[in-house]
Amino acid sequence: YLRTVLTKSEMKYFGGIVAATAVILLMVLIALTYAGVVAPWSGRFYSLWDTGYAKIHIPIIASVSEHQPTTWFSFFFDLHILVATFPVGLWYCIKRINDERVFVILYALSAVYFAGVMVRLMLTLTPVVCMLAGVAFSGLLELYLKEEDRESSDRDGGDSSEEESEAERERSPGRGLYDKAGKLRRMRHERARGNGDGLGANLRNGVVIGVLLLLMMFVVHCTWVTSNAYSSPSIVLASYSHDGGRSILDDFREAYYWLAQNTPSDARVMSWWDYGYQIAGMANRTTLVDNNTWNNSHIALVGKAMSSTENKAYDIMTSLDVDYVLVIFGGMIGYSGDDINKFLWMVRIAEGEHPNDIRESDYFTERGEFRVDSQGSPTLLNSLMYKLSYYRFGEVTMDYRTPSGYDRTRNAEIGNKNFKLTYLEEAYTTEHWLVRIY
């Protein structure tokens, strides 16, 4: 628009003003940041440019599943056939570039990068993917649906040219006595029909039907993903048996209801931060840490308590006035999102604030393995999280094929079975042992 209003010299002058203004504003922002007036960039911002930054410097950011790099499975799960058609639409825009399509191209390239760095940024990628995939499908259908019209117009044009050449021969009879160089005359019934590109009606119909089938599969996939993956509440779990039967696991609500009915209203609950909002919202009890993860030092203190022995953890819990401790244990039913699988993040976050007391290497075996069986690290087998998760579990035998204390999530027999708790007492365990309260 500015090119249509300004001359070339004025346009150069205006571009210089814009560049100078941007540089000045950037310098002012840097100066204000160093002066402490403007807060510095957060670890989440640096993680966009260096994927290993958060894991080294701020492990609590790396521990959040939404901050992990996007896998190819996630791309296909969310985009389906659009993964293949999106680059085609981008190529069309680049091939037919104009002022409007420059924005779409820049948006697409930047969104692809950021979506690959952090899975939660898939939300910023999906609008431009839908637009460019629509461009690709539109171009494909336009070609194969309008082929018949183009062929008929080409045939009409060919017939008219042939009629003109016959008229010229009638006006100049001598021109028909010889052939033009490089051309062979054909009889009228031998002349080719159509435009000769080989795209017959069957091929056009096959391509159109194939595209429609892909779009129908895309609709079915999106409906299934929406109804199963993005509409299922994370607080109520469902499992499916081999015969297709569904079992509802309502242990979370069971545990929160027990907390609301059987604990004082001013009771303080210590758990990992993942469950803070759920406990506060459904059990109406105070938690030490919740999903507002800005207080890194407080979360690290809870991680230190979970990573320490029961004696050391007791001192931390009494200093924080803890009344109840809640842990999530999935070894009974094979639930992979339990606290044992999150335990290393607790250790890393605690080590960031308390490096003299907690070291991640102490929780691995000499061969660098994280194991819960008899070959596991003694530091792990005697930690508070291990004991609260596996308390009395060594007495449980699920079937005749597995020994007692067999963890179905880690597929291993636990290494520390017959232990007693000194400072904590089991208060409640849900039906499937998913939530345990002490």
Side-chain angles (χ1 to χ4, degrees), residues 80-81 85 137 209-220:
H80 197 250
I81 191 61
T85 55
F137 280 115
I209 292 174
V211 171
L212 293 178
L213 287 176
L214 286 177
L215 293 175
M216 290 174 61
M217 291 172 59
F218 176 67
V219 171
V220 172

Side-chain angles (χ1 to χ4, degrees), residues 103-114:
F103 170 76
V104 179
I105 294 169
L106 294 177
Y107 176 21
L109 295 177
S110 58
V112 164
Y113 170 77
F114 290 118

